[in-house]
Every structure is written in structure tokens, then in C-alpha cells.
Amino acid sequence: PGDSNQVAVPGSWNEQRPELDSFLGPAWYQRSFREPIGFDPVAQSCVLRFGSVNYACAVFINGTMAGEHEGAHLPFEIDATPHLQRGGPNRLVLRVDGRLRRTHVPPGGGWGALAPGCFPSTTFDFYPYCGVQRSVLLCTRPARGLTALRFLVDGLEGARELPCGQGHAADNACVRVGVKVGGRDCNLRGGASRAGRIRSVRVTLLDARGEAELARGEAALDPADEASVALRVPSPALWA
């Protein structure tokens, strides 16, 4: 198009185009892509993973909004599977808006600058470079799998302070691992009635070298596709 510019990804448009030096958005990105070789839409999901986009990003695939994300400092993923055109080129379009808002992290806009005449009007001491700041990956993974993992130390057995400032020790640590499974069930090919469904999870904890097994547990998923596995770790290595 007549008013479009090519920019490198990852990168900031402010640094690549002099005429966009003070432009905070919104801006539109577009490019075409094809599904990964060997992608199986029955057993797999095709995911776009964005390392970082500053600040708000809406993702469109073949003219349909596939998802959106706000926040420049964490990666996010968009499931492209329902929007793909099999065997043909797919059009990826992003709307990226880096304009400052009081509700952003860090907040900006209307709060006054650090120094008179400073642009943009922020209370933080760096320039809010805008754009697709880190790599974008097209990934395939099983259609159903782990979506969240949480570790909680429930308590220490035999906790004590070591002499001569050597830190602390304990006989055992009680650790609870929370697991959440997401995605879609994938029916097997050939009209099979069985479903590729995850019904339980097994957690194995290894030592720091990844060699010796310290603890193992297993639990069934509840109706919300979550499970909690309790582990008893002998002689844990404590942080302090």
C-alpha cells in the first residue's frame, strides 16, 4: 500500500523509521504465513507465540480477530488453529497501540513529565518504544495439554537454623503442585469412539542435576480439569 513501511521484527518502529520517531500508535502489521509442515489439525494445535508487544495488541488471522493482549512485558499466545486456511497462505494482521494510559504498567499519560518539555508525558525514565519487540513463533503442540502449573510449599518438617550462620535446614518439605489442563479433546482418526483425553497427571521431582528422583505423585483431574499433587521432599535444599 502507498503509506505502508517495512520494519524488522523483532524491533521498534520508533528506531527504524525516522518519521515514526515520536509516533506511539496505533499501527498495523501484516504478513502472510503457511501452516507448519506436517501439521495435524485433529491431534495438534497451531499457536502464535509473541515474546513481547508494546503495548496493546489485537491479532487477526484471515480477517477474523483471533485474540488480543495488553501489556508489554510478558509473552502471550494466540491459538490460530480455528482460523487457518489449510494448504494455502494465511494473512496475519496485528493492531499495535503504544499510546500511554494511566491504567498501563507502568502508568503514563497526563501525569506530567519528568522534566519540562519532555516527550512523551510520563513519570518513568525511559522511552516507551513501540512495536513487536521480541520474536514471533509459529508452534505446534498437542491439542490438549498442560496450561498452568503452580508450586506451593505447604510446610517444613524439622525446620532448624544451622550454627555459625550456615543458613537453615529441614528434614522434609511438603510441596503441593497444582496442575491445570486445557485445550480440546482430539478424537482419533478413522471414526474411533475413544477420545484422546487426559484423565490424570503424574508429577516427578528431580534433583538440581536432573538425575536423581526426589519425589513422585499422581492425581486424577477433577471436573474443572485441575489436579493437586502432594509431594514429600526429603532433606530439601533451602534458599536461606
Side-chain angles (χ1 to χ4, degrees):
D3 58 349
S4 64
N5 297 290
Q6 287 191 341
V7 294
V9 172
S12 164
W13 68 60
N14 307 96
E15 296 179 294
Q16 299 181 55
R17 309 294 302 192
E19 67 273 22
L20 301 178
D21 176 63
S22 60
F23 180 65
L24 302 183
W28 294 82
Y29 289 76
Q30 65 172 338
R31 67 156 296 161
S32 60
F33 70 96
R34 292 181 179 271
E35 64 190 50
I37 297 175
F39 171 62
D40 182 353
V42 175
Q44 296 178 313
S45 292
C46 185
V47 176
L48 283 163
R49 180 176 176 84
F50 298 83
S52 171
V53 179
N54 189 24
Y55 183 84
C57 179
V59 181
F60 301 83
I61 301 174
N62 295 323
T64 302
M65 179 183 276
E68 54 188 337
H69 180 265
E70 184 173 300
H73 313 293
L74 293 174
F76 64 97
E77 296 182 349
I78 300 295
D79 187 2
T81 312
H83 311 287
L84 293 178
Q85 294 180 0
R86 298 300 313 281
N90 296 273
R91 176 63 63 178
L92 172 65
V93 175
L94 309 178
R95 183 185 186 275
V96 179
D97 192 346
R99 290 176 294 180
L100 303 175
R101 300 285 187 273
R102 290 192 176 192
T103 55
H104 288 179
V105 179
W111 284 50
L114 289 173
C118 179
F119 179 85
S121 179
T122 70
T123 53
F124 46 85
D125 60 352
F126 59 89
Y127 191 86
Y129 291 101
C130 302
V132 183
Q133 309 280 34
R134 294 185 179 175
S135 298
V136 181
L137 304 178
L138 184 63
C139 313
T140 58
R141 60 187 55 167
R144 188 169 177 80
L146 187 69
T147 59
L149 191 62
R150 182 178 65 253
F151 291 88
L152 176 66
V153 178
D154 276 348
L156 298 173
E157 299 174 356
R160 58 194 179 278
E161 185 174 353
L162 298 176
C164 302
Q166 299 181 59
H168 298 77
D171 297 329
N172 296 285
C174 303
V175 179
R176 188 168 297 278
V177 182
V179 176
K180 182 172 179 59
V181 171
R184 66 184 192 281
D185 294 332
C186 48
N187 294 322
L188 302 179
R189 292 184 181 276
S193 59
R194 292 188 300 118
R197 180 173 178 80
I198 300 173
R199 302 186 183 280
S200 64
V201 294
R202 178 183 299 167
V203 178
T204 303
L205 182 66
L206 304 179
D207 65 5
R209 296 178 178 270
E211 298 171 352
E213 180 179 309
L214 301 179
R216 176 189 295 185
E218 188 171 355
L221 292 175
D222 63 19
D225 283 336
E226 298 181 359
S228 181
V229 180
L231 303 176
R232 191 166 181 264
V233 184
S235 303
L238 304 181
W239 285 347

